[in-house]
Amino acid sequence: MNPFPHIIADEIARNFVLVVLIVLLIMSTFLVLTAIILRKKHERDEAYRLRKKEELYPLMLNYLDLDPGDRKAVEKAESDIIKRLKTARDLEVIEDLCLEIMYNIAGAEKLKLRQLLLIQPLYTQRYRQLKSWKVENLIQGCLYFVNVINQRSNVLEQIFPLIENRSVLVLHTAASAIFAYDDVVTRGRALKQVCMRTGISEMALLELVYKFHNKEFDQMDEEVSELIGIISDRSVPNVNRGVIIKSVADIGYATMADYLHDMISGMHDTDNGVIANSLIHAMGRFEYTDAAGLLTEKFSSSPDVAIRETLADTLGKLGNTASIPVLIGMTADNDFGVRVRAVYALAALGKPGYEALRHMEGTEDEIQRIAASIIAQLETGKNKTEK
Amino acid sequence: MEFIREFLAWFNSGILVYFIMLNVTYIILVTISFFYVRNQLKRKKVYDLTGLFTSKLYLPVSILAPAYNEEANIISSVRALLQLEFPEFQVVVINDGSTDGTLQMLIDHYKLNKVDKYYPLIINHQPVNDVYESELFPELTVIDKKNGRKADALNAGLNIARHDLVCSIDADSILEPDVLKKMLRAFMEDEETVAVGGIVRVANGCTFSQGRIQKIDTPKSFLGRIQVVEYLRAFLFGRVGWDYLNSLLIISGAFGIFDRRAVMRAGGYLHDTVGEDMELVMRLHHYYRIKKIPYKIRFLAEPVCWTEVPEDVATLSRQRNRWQRGLVDSLWRHRRMMFNPKYGRLGFLAMPFFVIFEMLGPVIEFLGWIAILVALLIGAISWPFFFAFLAAAVFLGMILSLASVLCEEFTFRRYPKTKHVLILSLYAFFENFGYRQMHTWWRLKGLFDFVRGRREWGDMERKGLDSST
Amino acid sequence: MSGKNPLILLIEDNPSVIRLLEFKLSKENFRFEHRDNGHDGIEAVKQLRPDIVVLDVMLPGIDGFEVLRQIRQDEQIKDTRVMMLTSKNMEDDLERGFAMGAMEYMSKPFKLGEFMIRLKRILN
């Protein structure tokens, strides 16, 4: 009796096995061959791109050296370059080349390159990509518009809706492209649209606020009024408003410190914890020393642990010795994290805070130990500087 | 005799079913990974030279590098870490009670000074002797502690780390300079990300200088080359596929970034297991699922960490034995995930896959070979069938490996020459003669050692389970 | 004639910067040499005795500061004029460079015109 009646009952089954084997054999050969063909194709492609790059490089350098006032020469140089762009691959080569040079230079030459990127075939292709359904096309299109000089409204009309795209990457590139515009109101509108979305990570939003800020021209005041518009709009999700509040000090909107201070004064107990936390944070980053009293008054008895933690950190950063009694009180907080932060904050307040640490009594062992080690550390540091 | 034949018939059919299921699963994973990696790669441009991140507002990272008797390489390893391209990071080297001059070399070379710092002991670990900071590099901290295991050293690092993200690596891992930027992408894309793993590649055969990779080449030895294929398969398919299904169960201990607070909340690394890397990832799943907090654990195929693999049979067999024990241990500790609706795909897909194919796979394979040999000897199956089965097994295994070589060719192309493609294809074939069988045997022994060891360490086992809940 | 033109040695590993400066400098009748790592760079300083060394901070292997230190310690070449290229926002690097004896710096990305002005300033 055959133990595998269902498998090799007869010749047919055996032939079946043979067929399977042959199929497998063909498949493996196919895989190996594909791998090798791909590699060869890739090598050819690389070689082509390299050649193209070598061909274009001198033309580009030449173009960079031209006087922008000499329209004739510039146009001739441009048409020389365009003549050499025949395929989509060529367009990629010139775009990469421009970006590569742009990465290293600034000023007039950079502007020239941003102008050069606008050459017809490239512009048309990238503009068309903005209407595509494919994520990678959208990204490529948006990235292009990050780097060119462009104030055309038809481009904006295409890019704005992309902020609503499901892919975070498309959102990010689209917003970056709009932030390359000089007009603050347009940028503000884009930033607000970004902020209306939920689920954007803090890191991504911080980066976008940074890009919103124009580094080449001084537009601080206009930018501030756009930012205030977003912060004060209650329809914007709190998390995102919080991130913007936190970011303004880092980017250097010094004039916003007072606005945020007033915002704290006007806060009621019912207000959102995320916003409160960000505001305290921002005061610390602005080093707004005079805010210490207001912060203490508003938040030292907050039921929210996270707020009390941020408060302790911030009071340390603000360096206002009037906060010492409050911080000593906080070393007996009922949350361990707050207690530890209060000790570190006292240490950050310089000599008076350090004296307060030394005479701290009645707290638990763990906190005493942390205080003792900080004192020891400060003393070794002092000895070193005296030497 | 008739009974044995009958039994063998059923058993062999079972093996056949197992064999088909295993390969079908692999082929599904291969297909998913292939399209997924391609897709991700098309978006890679965003992070290139002109990248999206122009500010320095990345989340800062603390790199935790445990070192035990690393005298020979410690200085260059640390130098390479300090040279990573990233706006703000800290390097924490944890000297885990080395008996050689590791610590002294660090002290001399980096002008370390003892600092009297107190750190709240959030996760328990072996006592710390001293903490040092460098005069030359403010971002370098060295912890000198009593010997524990790697997990214990990492726990000490977690306590001292300044930043909210920690990157745990092996002392001999060589990170590519842009690796942190690339990894952070997962945290940028999604606020809920708590852990990310990167691809680990075989460093043997490559040329390094000053802790940076200069030239990529395949290893010279047979075992080295086979492992290149193995690593490609494991990472480009396995991990990428599981990442797509959002049910990644393991992040290699050689290279992973974690949200420090998440790890702390879940209880840090477990120090009485040999598979602390996998165990931690499973515990994170456990923690977040129970608390019903949304989270993501990711794998990215682009950021590369190079690692030296053993090229002699003895070391390799010990390593694989240890990996198998770690795997079984982690699965055993988290066995309640199995078919538990609370864990969704983890419980119904990833867990069964790991238990059946990774944990019990060696047993089934081993018994399968024996059964087929016995059946052949007593004449229950014919020689042609035997060879057909053997050939099918070899070809299927080979096709999977070849597909991973092809996938590499479609995407990253880290090996520069056509010669390398040929070598890898060839070794995808060789792998099936001898190496696979040896590998099955090592893993079988690992499983066996675990079962035996577990009886001896009954107490520790219970403790582990407690801390995992 | 060309023997009288000042020789500029660029130690830099970024091919794009190399080409850019090579183009610009040869256009303005400077002689130009480049090396793409610190080690070869120091050798070239000894052999070619350039009028100015333009030195990138981020180099593979030994970095720009180390190159500068070695130049300043070598009796024969310690008076070589050095201009540093630093990445943007690296004020620490800048101070460190000046403290070690760099005469001029340029932070990347840079303006070509500005670069030429500073180069000529240290030449005179």
Side-chain angles (χ1 to χ4, degrees):
Chain A
M1 177 196 150
N2 193 326
F4 291 98
H6 47 300
I7 296 175
I8 43 169
D10 53 357
E11 277 303 304
I12 300 167
R14 208 173 289 181
N15 287 341
F16 175 73
V17 171
L18 206 67
V19 169
V20 169
L21 276 182
I22 292 172
V23 169
L24 288 177
L25 186 68
I26 292 172
M27 266 178 75
S28 2
T29 328
F30 171 75
L31 289 176
V32 177
L33 284 179
T34 320
I36 291 171
I37 291 170
L38 271 179
R39 170 58 62 119
K40 286 292 167 208
K41 247 177 94 179
H42 173 73
E43 278 174 0
R44 265 217 306 281
D45 182 59
E46 289 282 276
Y48 176 84
R49 281 170 194 264
L50 203 66
R51 269 204 315 278
K52 201 77 198 172
K53 195 175 158 186
E54 288 305 312
E55 187 185 326
L56 291 169
Y57 222 122
L59 295 176
M60 300 266 292
L61 289 173
N62 203 24
Y63 175 87
L64 279 183
D65 214 42
L66 291 175
D67 171 15
D70 188 355
R71 283 310 308 167
K72 243 187 180 160
V74 172
E75 268 163 33
K76 188 181 174 305
E78 272 183 12
S79 76
D80 274 352
I81 292 174
I82 293 173
K83 244 184 275 165
R84 286 178 167 78
L85 305 177
K86 294 184 188 79
T87 61
R89 197 158 48 162
D90 295 346
L91 295 179
E92 270 175 31
V93 173
I94 186 123
E95 191 181 3
D96 287 347
L97 190 56
C98 277
L99 295 185
E100 189 190 310
I101 302 178
M102 229 191 257
Y103 186 75
N104 292 305
I105 60 171
E109 281 87 3
K110 185 169 179 177
L111 279 181
K112 280 187 198 169
L113 284 174
R114 291 183 63 183
Q115 187 70 46
L116 178 65
L117 271 175
L118 275 175
I119 46 177
Q120 215 28 252
L122 187 58
Y123 174 84
T124 319
Q125 167 136 2
R126 296 286 176 264
Y127 180 69
R128 208 180 298 133
Q129 278 177 319
L130 292 180
K131 297 173 182 164
S132 161
W133 288 103
K134 284 190 177 165
V135 168
E136 59 267 24
N137 279 341
L138 294 174
I139 291 177
Q140 198 174 24
C142 289
L143 277 178
Y144 167 78
F145 285 102
V146 169
N147 292 304
V148 294
I149 293 184
N150 195 294
Q151 304 284 0
R152 295 178 211 187
S153 58
N154 60 335
V155 176
L156 271 184
E157 272 164 33
Q158 287 299 328
I159 300 182
F160 254 106
L162 296 179
I163 294 180
E164 308 293 338
N165 194 287
R166 255 183 47 217
S167 158
V168 183
L169 289 182
V170 174
L171 150 87
H172 209 103
T173 34
S176 307
I178 299 174
F179 293 154
Y181 278 67
D182 290 341
D183 179 40
V184 186
V185 178
T186 307
R187 297 209 306 272
R189 190 155 67 91
L191 185 62
K192 181 152 178 193
Q193 206 171 330
V194 170
C195 288
M196 293 304 280
R197 283 188 54 156
T198 49
I200 305 172
S201 73
E202 178 167 342
M203 206 180 0
L205 191 51
L206 280 176
E207 170 70 22
L208 286 178
V209 181
Y210 175 84
K211 284 198 173 132
F212 162 78
H213 168 54
N214 190 324
K215 273 126 287 196
E216 296 193 21
F217 309 104
D218 181 22
Q219 298 179 324
M220 279 296 201
D221 293 341
E222 295 94 320
E223 284 170 11
V224 163
S225 78
E226 290 297 323
L227 288 173
I228 287 178
I230 296 170
I231 294 173
S232 57
D233 186 342
R234 281 169 185 270
S235 63
V236 176
N238 287 325
V239 192
N240 294 345
R241 283 161 68 202
V243 173
I244 297 204
I245 292 172
K246 275 194 222 168
S247 67
V248 291
D250 287 343
I251 296 174
Y253 293 109
T255 51
M256 275 187 82
D258 285 327
Y259 175 81
L260 296 180
H261 187 267
D262 291 348
M263 214 170 143
I264 299 174
S265 318
M267 272 191 108
H268 302 294
D269 297 339
T270 49
D271 275 316
N272 185 284
V274 180
I275 302 285
N277 210 336
S278 311
L279 283 168
I280 304 172
H281 214 94
M283 289 295 110
R285 299 224 187 143
F286 273 122
E287 296 175 12
Y288 202 124
T289 314
D290 294 341
L294 176 68
L295 291 178
T296 310
E297 176 202 328
K298 285 272 178 187
F299 302 112
S300 60
S301 52
S302 163
D304 187 340
V305 173
I307 288 187
R308 296 204 306 278
E309 282 185 347
T310 317
L311 178 64
D313 282 344
T314 304
L315 290 180
K317 270 186 213 146
L318 291 180
N320 191 333
T321 48
S323 313
I324 290 176
V326 189
L327 283 170
I328 290 178
M330 288 178 94
T331 58
D333 193 281
N334 51 29
D335 181 85
F336 179 71
V338 177
R339 296 197 292 271
V340 174
R341 279 156 206 260
V343 172
Y344 278 104
L346 279 169
L349 288 182
K351 200 154 185 265
Y354 159 67
E355 286 303 321
L357 270 185
R358 196 198 282 281
H359 302 295
M360 205 167 58
E361 276 164 14
T363 49
E364 89 221 84
D365 287 355
E366 183 87 5
I367 293 296
Q368 292 280 5
R369 271 212 305 279
I370 296 176
S373 81
I374 293 173
I375 290 170
Q377 205 182 337
L378 288 173
E379 275 174 354
T380 51
K382 214 164 56 189
N383 289 342
K384 227 185 254 163
T385 48
E386 275 164 14
K387 272 181 222 163
Chain B
M1 200 62 189
E2 203 46 39
F3 169 74
I4 295 177
R5 276 167 172 268
E6 195 71 17
F7 173 76
L8 274 177
W10 281 106
F11 188 79
N12 280 347
S13 315
I15 296 279
L16 210 64
V17 169
Y18 167 85
F19 180 75
I20 291 168
M21 267 173 57
L22 174 68
N23 284 298
V24 167
T25 324
Y26 275 140
I27 287 168
I28 293 173
L29 278 178
V30 165
T31 324
I32 292 176
S33 308
F34 183 75
F35 288 105
Y36 190 48
V37 173
R38 282 281 285 177
N39 229 340
Q40 294 228 320
L41 213 70
K42 282 185 190 156
R43 303 167 188 189
K44 158 171 172 269
K45 209 173 155 72
V46 187
Y47 300 95
D48 279 354
L49 184 71
T50 52
L52 268 193
F53 263 79
T54 47
S55 75
K56 302 209 161 186
L57 305 170
Y58 286 91
L59 292 173
V61 177
S62 291
I63 299 171
L64 309 182
Y68 177 72
N69 290 353
E70 297 284 343
E71 210 175 47
N73 297 318
I74 192 73
I75 298 300
S76 67
S77 306
V78 173
R79 185 195 298 130
L81 289 176
L82 290 169
Q83 281 178 356
L84 290 178
E85 291 159 11
F86 200 68
E88 192 184 351
F89 65 98
Q90 174 196 23
V91 176
V92 182
V93 179
I94 306 123
N95 176 38
D96 194 22
S98 296
T99 49
D100 66 355
T102 305
L103 180 67
Q104 199 53 47
M105 286 187 75
L106 283 169
I107 292 177
D108 296 343
H109 192 272
Y110 290 104
K111 299 212 166 51
L112 299 181
N113 293 317
K114 264 184 214 179
V115 288
D116 191 3
K117 249 192 189 160
Y118 182 85
Y119 299 93
L121 193 68
I122 300 169
I123 313 173
N124 210 5
H125 54 78
Q126 293 288 323
V128 167
N129 300 333
D130 286 301
V131 177
Y132 298 84
E133 275 171 10
S134 165
E135 265 179 40
L136 307 175
F137 300 92
E139 64 271 35
L140 176 64
T141 302
V142 175
I143 305 172
D144 177 38
K145 65 183 274 292
K146 297 247 166 12
N147 181 256
R149 278 223 188 112
K150 190 190 166 198
D152 195 66
L154 287 171
N155 282 340
L158 277 171
N159 278 333
I160 286 180
R162 261 204 302 269
H163 302 312
D164 285 343
L165 293 179
V166 289
C167 174
S168 72
I169 59 166
D170 279 344
D172 56 358
S173 301
I174 299 158
L175 305 185
E176 293 202 341
D178 56 358
V179 97
L180 292 178
K181 283 184 186 172
K182 284 181 174 163
M183 290 285 265
L184 269 254
R185 183 188 126 179
F187 293 93
M188 188 224 109
E189 281 180 346
D190 200 328
E191 187 82 18
E192 288 164 4
T193 307
V194 294
V196 187
I199 194 167
V200 178
R201 289 171 181 270
V202 175
N204 308 44
C206 302
T207 325
F208 293 88
S209 108
Q210 314 274 350
R212 285 199 183 197
I213 189 146
Q214 303 293 340
K215 202 171 130 250
I216 298 175
D217 202 347
T218 47
K220 298 280 163 290
S221 73
F222 182 81
L223 282 178
R225 286 175 172 185
I226 281 198
Q227 284 179 84
V228 174
V229 179
E230 227 185 345
Y231 274 62
L232 277 183
R233 206 174 50 222
F235 283 95
L236 279 187
F237 285 167
R239 306 269 165 99
V240 170
W242 292 119
D243 176 44
Y244 177 78
L245 296 168
N246 206 358
S247 31
L248 196 69
L249 283 189
I250 179 162
I251 287 176
S252 165
F255 181 37
I257 295 191
F258 298 85
D259 180 325
R260 174 169 168 261
R261 274 173 295 187
V263 177
M264 294 282 211
R265 274 188 218 122
Y269 284 91
L270 204 60
H271 49 78
D272 58 356
T273 174
V274 286
E276 75 284 336
D277 45 1
M278 180 171 182
E279 202 282 330
L280 175 69
V281 175
M282 294 193 74
R283 195 139 37 84
L284 284 172
H285 278 299
H286 211 112
Y287 178 85
Y288 280 96
R289 296 273 174 159
I290 295 229
K291 299 258 171 186
K292 295 203 169 72
I293 306 171
Y295 71 103
K296 287 245 165 57
I297 294 182
R298 298 287 315 273
F299 170 80
L300 297 182
E302 230 198 315
V304 180
C305 160
W306 297 88
T307 194
E308 194 86 21
V309 301
E311 284 180 294
D312 64 294
V313 177
T315 321
L316 187 62
S317 77
R318 271 203 304 280
Q319 183 197 47
R320 295 309 160 95
N321 182 305
R322 195 176 68 239
W323 284 4
Q324 186 69 11
R325 273 184 289 140
L327 177 105
V328 179
D329 189 29
S330 307
L331 291 172
W332 177 252
R333 284 173 202 263
H334 297 279
R335 57 187 177 278
R336 74 186 65 176
M337 279 189 192
M338 190 83 166
F339 298 125
N340 187 335
K342 252 191 241 160
Y343 296 92
R345 273 185 217 156
L346 282 177
F348 286 96
L349 221 67
M351 274 300 268
F353 176 87
F354 272 85
V355 169
I356 297 172
F357 297 127
E358 298 281 333
M359 178 175 144
L360 300 176
V363 182
I364 298 171
E365 263 176 61
F366 186 72
L367 291 181
W369 285 115
I370 291 182
I372 287 198
L373 282 176
V374 170
L376 185 71
L377 288 179
I378 61 172
I381 57 169
S382 59
W383 277 97
F385 176 79
F386 174 74
F387 281 119
F389 185 79
L390 197 70
V394 167
F395 274 118
L396 265 174
M398 184 174 148
I399 283 178
L400 287 170
S401 300
L402 283 178
S404 60
V405 174
L406 183 64
C407 191
E408 164 81 0
E409 210 43 45
F410 257 118
T411 52
F412 303 106
R413 269 180 241 105
R414 294 309 296 265
Y415 290 95
K417 291 182 186 144
T418 318
K419 186 187 87 184
H420 296 134
V421 183
L422 282 172
I423 290 180
L424 294 184
S425 304
L426 207 60
Y427 278 77
F429 179 65
F430 286 158
E431 188 192 22
N432 297 287
F433 302 99
Y435 180 75
R436 283 229 167 160
Q437 291 72 16
M438 239 161 43
H439 192 207
T440 304
W441 175 244
W442 297 332
R443 285 161 68 204
L444 186 71
K445 265 176 62 186
L447 178 63
F448 187 67
D449 288 349
F450 173 78
V451 175
R452 216 176 35 185
R454 199 161 56 79
R455 224 170 278 134
E456 288 159 20
W457 307 324
D459 289 346
M460 280 167 95
E461 217 275 316
R462 244 199 340 272
K463 192 174 129 211
L465 273 182
D466 286 346
S467 67
S468 72
T469 46
Chain C
M1 176 64 201
S2 71
K4 281 181 192 165
N5 290 342
L7 174 65
I8 314 290
L9 173 70
L10 173 66
I11 309 178
E12 158 75 85
D13 62 327
N14 181 333
S16 169
V17 175
I18 297 172
R19 292 191 82 145
L20 214 58
L21 293 186
E22 178 170 19
F23 178 81
K24 193 75 189 168
L25 289 170
S26 35
K27 204 139 199 181
E28 306 228 356
N29 290 323
F30 287 96
R31 284 178 299 143
F32 178 85
E33 283 286 337
H34 88 267
R35 295 290 182 273
D36 58 8
N37 66 71
H39 187 79
D40 293 353
I42 295 169
E43 284 308 307
V45 176
K46 285 181 191 158
Q47 277 171 16
L48 305 170
R49 297 304 182 85
D51 295 277
I52 296 180
V53 175
V54 178
L55 177 61
D56 187 27
V57 172
M58 290 285 285
L59 285 171
I62 46 179
D63 70 3
F65 293 121
E66 181 59 24
V67 173
L68 182 57
R69 199 183 61 81
Q70 293 193 18
I71 290 175
R72 290 287 174 255
Q73 275 181 356
D74 192 313
E75 271 304 313
Q76 289 181 306
I77 53 173
K78 71 176 176 17
D79 294 324
T80 315
R81 286 173 275 198
V82 176
M83 175 171 178
M84 300 283 272
L85 290 178
T86 63
S87 301
K88 61 174 172 185
N89 307 329
M90 297 292 272
E91 284 82 6
D92 297 356
D93 280 4
L94 232 162
E95 277 175 34
R96 209 171 139 197
F98 278 126
M100 291 173 75
M103 290 184 69
E104 195 47 275
Y105 78 96
M106 199 73 217
S107 62
K108 284 193 221 170
F110 53 81
K111 299 175 182 167
L112 278 177
E114 188 76 28
F115 175 82
M116 294 310 296
I117 292 172
R118 295 194 189 190
L119 196 74
K120 285 172 186 159
R121 188 157 62 201
I122 38 177
L123 254 184
N124 303 323

